Structure formats: structure tokens, C-alpha cells
Amino acid sequence: MDSSGLYLDVTDFAHSTPAWVQSAFEFWTEYGLLVFGALFIAVWWRSRGARDPRTVALAVLAPFVTALAYVASELVKSSVDEERPCRAVAGAAASLITCPPTGDWSFPSNHAAIAGAAAVALALAARTLVLLTLPLALLMAFSRVFVGVHYPHDVAMGLLLGASLAALAVLALAGPATRVVAAVRTSGGRTAVLITGPDPAR
């Protein structure tokens, strides 16, 4: 798979943009995943007031399945051993952020996998969030190419891997997680109420 031509097009475009645009992408690519973390917390906190335990279960599952997607991405990365384009592509402009060292392989993009998984998991937990999480995930994936540390095919496969694994994991785990949440709620303990919200039947 060779997307070095598109990589050159994107990185050349990146170097033609104003300094503030480059700085914005550098900041987003480094810290943008924290936005998904904040959304995990917000969706979970809001779900505690729902009567349906499935709502809480989906909110709790969101960060869990995202972590699973990261592990899967890391396993693939360690088996493929693709060198970073900022080191491998001849004639490429210097990456806007420090090129990761050899051994921190390129395929797939962990950032894109995490963003794809988080976008899908959050959308399943709160449907209207898809209008926010999908563009954020795409922006994260694009930013990894823009700053010069990933090929386009790295981020495309990262998004696909993360999104598909998150969807499958939520589908498989939603039922058991819902039953656990319902059982925890009925226990009535202080910790249980804090985590899952009060039992609406009480």
C-alpha cells in the first residue's frame, strides 16, 4: 500500500498554510484526544439520570471499547513495522512535530484508531453526538498526515479498525453490561449510586 504521493501533497499543503494554522494542527494532533476523554465523562455523568440501565451501560462501555481498539491497533502496529513517512519518504518537507523514533511504527495510526473508536462508541451512547464526534475523529486522522507523522493509509486504516472494533464490541457487550448495571443499581449502595445513578424503582 503506497500513499506517499498523497502524503507529499498534504504535507506540502501544510507547509503553505499560515503559521497559526500549523500551530492549531500541532496542538490538536497532540491534545485533541483529550476532548474525547471529556466527552466520555460528560456522557457517563448524564447517563446516570436515565431510567434505562442500557443508557448507563453504553456510556460506561465507551471508554472501555476505545481502550480495546487501542490495544488492537498497537498489536497490528508491532507486527507490520512500517517506517514513519517523515523518515522514509524522499523529498518530503520536514514534519511539523518531531518525527517519532524508529521502532514507533507508522501503520496503523493509534491516534486515528482511538478517535474512530471513541467517535462510534460515543455516538452509540448518545446518538446526537455523531454530529460532533465524527468530524472530530476525521480531523484527528487528517492532522496526523498534516503534521507529517503518518501516511494517509495509516490513518484510514486506523479509523476503520477503531470504528469497526468499537461497534462490534458494543454490540457484543451491551447486553451483559446492561444486566450488570441493573444489578448494581438495585444494590442501593453509595458507590453503586455514584457510578450508575439511583435505581428509578426506589
Side-chain angles (χ1 to χ4, degrees), residues 41-50 55 126 128:
I41 295 171
V43 168
W44 161 69
W45 188 257
R46 184 177 181 183
S47 74
R48 295 168 66 256
T55 302
T128 56

